[in-house]
Amino acid sequence: EDVTDVIWEVREGQAIRGVGVDAEGAAIPDVMVRANMKTDPNDPRGQTTNSWSGASEADGSFELAGLLPGTYQLSARAELPSEQTPLEVELAPGADRNDVRIELPANGTVRGRVIDERGVGQPNVQVVAGLLGRWPESQTRTDDQGNFVLEHVRTGEVQVKATSDGW
């Protein structure tokens, strides 16, 4: 039968607020920030919360809401390559954090042309780029003359590969 007159007592969630910026300190819009609470491996039933922010505003501001007090690892995801060491943030009981700054890594643009052994530009070839020894982070296809532009490629020693039909 129906259960009535049940009261659930909950506490108000806390928030972590901040801004996402690029390597030069300029605000990055549309950044998604994830908060993962660090847990005690010896307490498998301990309370935990995790959260994703909505897309950051034009000024890079974001908010992660509904969190419990604790230590969180924050990471950001954007159109730009965003792999970085997670930022550790402490959320004290009863106090929101409003001062978090997440810096995404520097990036650049790679322009080029894919040609065959005769020097003829190759259309519709997939081109990928990423830091040497890492999974490619940026991809595109060549135009009718074999030209390509890869944007938001992380700075450093980069490997660029061109493939046609997976080869």
Side-chain angles (χ1 to χ4, degrees):
E1 73 185 65
D2 291 343
V3 177
T4 60
D5 299 322
V6 175
I7 298 173
W8 294 86
E9 290 188 31
V10 297
R11 61 179 153 197
E12 185 176 339
Q14 292 177 233
I16 297 173
R17 295 178 192 88
V19 64
V21 298
D22 64 17
E24 285 77 43
I28 303 176
D30 299 323
V31 172
M32 304 283 284
V33 180
R34 180 174 174 86
N36 288 318
M37 185 180 217
K38 289 179 72 175
T39 57
D40 180 355
N42 297 319
D43 185 9
R45 293 185 177 169
Q47 286 188 313
T48 184
T49 53
N50 297 309
S51 180
W52 274 102
S53 71
S56 65
E57 302 294 328
D59 65 357
S61 62
F62 66 86
E63 177 181 49
L64 297 152
L67 301 172
L68 294 171
T71 303
Y72 290 85
Q73 290 187 325
L74 304 185
S75 55
R77 180 174 174 197
E79 181 179 323
L80 309 174
S82 58
E83 182 183 318
Q84 79 273 10
T85 303
L87 176 65
E88 197 164 285
V89 174
E90 184 69 30
L91 189 56
D96 291 349
R97 284 289 302 266
N98 298 305
D99 60 349
V100 175
R101 178 183 166 102
I102 296 180
E103 185 175 312
L104 281 82
N107 66 84
T109 301
V110 176
R111 300 174 194 280
R113 185 168 185 231
V114 177
I115 58 173
D116 65 12
E117 61 277 358
R118 297 179 314 269
V120 176
Q122 299 299 295
N124 201 32
V125 172
Q126 182 179 19
V127 181
V128 298
L131 290 180
L132 202 57
R134 298 217 174 201
W135 194 260
E137 299 172 322
S138 184
Q139 66 179 353
T140 191
R141 295 195 87 75
T142 58
D143 65 14
D144 291 340
Q145 290 77 42
N147 300 307
F148 67 88
V149 177
L150 287 162
E151 295 182 338
H152 310 302
V153 177
R154 194 176 327 201
T155 59
E157 196 169 344
V158 175
Q159 183 175 42
V160 179
K161 294 181 183 181
T163 61
S164 179
D165 297 325
W167 298 97

